[in-house]
């Protein structure tokens, strides 16, 4: 399903970064109805070395709207 997302990242102290990713996804249900859903993601990552990072991510659909026509 096509989607459009933006990424916002803030550098934090102690080699941490916080990212927020809002977006919109356009899909269809098994019965053929089309819908748009708002999506969002939140990421916290830690850079341990220049080549190694760990992260925690939480993402979930927020709302869906039925498209008619």
């Amino acid at each position: 399903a096509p989607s459009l997302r933006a990424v916002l990242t803030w550098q934090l102290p102690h080699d941490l970064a916080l990212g927020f990713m809002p977006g919109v996804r356009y899909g269809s249900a098994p019965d053929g109805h089309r819908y748009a859903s708002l999506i969002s993601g939140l990421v916290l990552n830690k850079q341990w070395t220049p080549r190694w990072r760990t992260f925690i991510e939480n993402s979930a659909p927020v709302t869906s709207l039925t498209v008619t026509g």
Side-chain angles (χ1 to χ4, degrees), residues 1 25-36:
R25 178 179 175 266
Y26 187 64
S28 60
D31 64 1
H33 286 91
R34 297 225 175 248
Y35 64 91

Side-chain angles (χ1 to χ4, degrees), residues 1-6 21-27 35-40 65:
S3 65
L4 176 64
R5 302 171 193 207
M21 184 175 56
V24 177
R25 178 179 175 266
Y26 187 64
Y35 64 91
S37 60
L38 301 175
I39 54 178
S40 66
L65 307 167

